[in-house]
Amino acid sequence: GMGIRLDDGPGFPGAKISPHYDSLLVKITSKARTRREAAAKLIRALREFRVRGVLTNKSFLLNVLENEQFLDGVVDTGFIASNPYLMAPLRE
């Protein structure tokens, strides 16, 4: 949708991803007037996104994007260590 950008990694349809390949399959970014609006766009895009055959960090990203500290922009380099629940898988 509007304000969402996808940059892919493998480069061609049917590419085989080995365990030794850089884990960046797709980078997703959003643009909006506020941090919360950008986060809402990313949340929707991630919930609609389907990846099969490899593990992703989608649960982690959704947990971060729904965290009030992150949404308020009050985070530092200890944010992830201070919030270990961010690593918990989501049930979808």
Side-chain angles (χ1 to χ4, degrees), residues 38-92:
K41 288 180 182 207
L42 282 172
I43 289 167
R44 178 177 176 184
L46 285 167
R47 291 201 185 280
E48 293 176 358
F49 214 73
R50 299 292 177 257
V51 178
R52 291 179 176 83
V54 294
L55 296 176
T56 71
N57 64 346
K58 182 177 161 181
S59 289
F60 169 73
L61 296 173
L62 287 166
N63 286 335
V64 168
L65 290 166
E66 293 172 343
N67 178 280
E68 285 300 316
Q69 282 179 287
F70 178 81
L71 292 171
D72 290 338
V74 235
V75 296
D76 58 26
T77 56
F79 173 67
I80 295 170
S82 299
N83 295 282
Y85 80 89
L86 295 172
M87 303 302 277
L90 296 176
R91 297 184 191 269
E92 294 188 73

